[in-house]
Amino acid sequence: MPSCNFSPEEYKGMSKARMIEIRKQNCNPMTMKVTYYKKPVFIHQGYMQYLWDVDGTRYLDLFAGVATVSVGHCHPKVNAAAEKQLKKLWHTTLIYVYPTLHEYCEKLASYFPDPLQVVFLTNSGSEANELAMFMARLYTGNFDIITFRGSYHGGSPMTMGLTSNAAYKYPIANGLGCTNTMCPDVFRGPWGGKHCRDSPVQTTRECSCAQGHCEANEQYIKQFKETLATSVPPRIAAFFAEPIQGVGGAVQYPKNYLKEAYKLVRERGGICIADEV
């Protein structure tokens, strides 16, 4: 890795063994369920694109804090803004009119394409998706929702139906009205290869597609049409999709797939919802 002019503080906290003991006894069991690695990384400090463990080893964080730290860890501008706000006001509610909150909503909405212009502020991704499900069903008057296999859209009882990933599933009633369809994965799926991704980064898998024509996209769209024809009513409420599937393995879809899928969903009265943007 390139050199870095930042030096982390010396770690003087609890031992690794003690952390694992607490993790097993006192922390949410889910943290152990999704810990696939044999030797956990014990994180101590972060700065910009780098993380340091308790032993001082530096890592390049390609996952951006599980896709939530898009400008790097402890970015000086973000730190300064957070410190300034914490010195002024910690928390209030939309019941009251607080200027900074309205400045944020206006600026965030300015980045949206027309006709999107309304912001709902929530506490978590699961809450945001529950709200999206609720609004889609109210607005359309329909109930059924489609998501991709391998997707992650939350772990609450309601959003667990959207999520199609065994590690986040539990044997309880969930997902009424939620249907999972084939993920258009051109790397691991049955179709696709090195010319198919809608991305400057392609796979190494061989591909028979001609230039400008993606056969994989046609095949995956056929699968989507089959789901629409056999697994849901003629009118649906919504289609949830991550623009790049994260928990499912950083999956990038074929060229034009979402554009064509969105058209099919809208023809059936559904709302197209982009999650984990």
Side-chain angles (χ1 to χ4, degrees):
M1 284 195 293
S3 59
C4 176
N5 58 7
F6 179 84
S7 297
E9 300 172 4
E10 181 184 358
Y11 179 71
K12 298 179 180 179
M14 66 177 66
S15 68
K16 296 178 185 178
R18 180 59 180 148
M19 280 189 274
I20 289 296
E21 184 181 355
I22 293 172
R23 192 175 177 90
K24 290 179 178 179
Q25 293 182 1
N26 305 116
C27 295
N28 176 358
M30 189 66 180
T31 58
M32 295 302 295
K33 183 179 179 182
V34 297
T35 302
Y36 296 116
Y37 34 71
K38 294 179 180 178
K39 294 182 178 180
V41 180
F42 295 83
I43 297 300
H44 167 46
Q45 194 166 351
Y47 180 75
M48 302 303 285
Q49 69 269 39
Y50 298 117
L51 290 170
W52 284 263
D53 66 16
V54 297
D55 298 317
T57 304
R58 177 164 59 107
Y59 301 87
L60 176 61
D61 185 4
L62 293 172
F63 206 24
V66 194
T68 54
V69 189
S70 56
V71 295
H73 297 278
C74 303
H75 193 293
K77 288 181 66 175
V78 177
N79 280 358
E83 182 180 7
K84 180 181 177 182
Q85 182 60 48
L86 288 171
K87 287 180 177 179
K88 188 183 295 183
L89 180 69
W90 280 16
H91 172 72
T92 185
T93 166
L94 281 172
I95 295 172
Y96 311 119
V97 183
Y98 182 61
T100 307
L101 195 63
H102 293 72
E103 291 170 13
Y104 174 75
C105 289
E106 181 184 45
K107 188 166 186 178
L108 184 60
S110 72
Y111 290 101
F112 297 166
D114 290 333
L116 302 179
Q117 58 180 345
V118 178
V119 175
F120 287 80
L121 300 176
T122 62
N123 293 309
S124 68
S126 292
E127 184 184 0
N129 283 342
E130 284 204 11
L131 181 62
M133 295 172 74
F134 181 62
M135 290 194 297
R137 284 168 168 165
L138 277 181
Y139 177 75
T140 63
N142 304 323
F143 189 73
D144 286 69
I145 297 174
I146 298 174
T147 65
F148 287 140
R149 295 173 197 149
S151 62
Y152 179 80
H153 297 292
S156 65
M158 192 168 174
T159 58
M160 199 184 299
L162 300 177
T163 295
S164 178
N165 196 301
Y168 299 91
K169 292 287 194 179
Y170 291 92
I172 62 169
N174 69 84
L176 183 64
C178 295
T179 298
N180 307 128
T181 192
M182 179 181 285
C183 177
D185 185 348
V186 299
F187 181 55
R188 302 175 187 85
W191 305 288
K194 62 184 180 182
H195 300 304
C196 295
R197 272 182 177 167
D198 189 10
S199 167
V201 180
Q202 295 294 340
T203 78
T204 56
R205 190 162 120 172
E206 288 303 314
C207 179
S208 59
C209 297
Q211 190 69 28
H213 179 75
C214 185
E215 295 177 11
N217 183 57
E218 294 178 355
Q219 294 294 334
Y220 287 118
I221 286 293
K222 283 182 181 178
Q223 291 293 315
F224 193 75
K225 288 180 177 178
E226 184 174 334
T227 298
L228 290 170
T230 62
S231 303
V232 294
R235 305 289 288 177
I236 62 174
F239 167 52
F240 273 75
E242 303 157 84
I244 297 177
Q245 199 172 86
V247 172
V251 178
Q252 295 172 299
Y253 313 132
K255 298 178 180 70
N256 297 318
Y257 179 90
L258 284 180
K259 183 178 181 180
E260 293 181 32
Y262 279 11
K263 182 175 183 293
L264 292 169
V265 169
R266 288 168 178 150
E267 287 172 354
R268 288 156 178 79
I271 302 296
C272 299
I273 300 171
D275 184 25
E276 303 280 17
V277 174

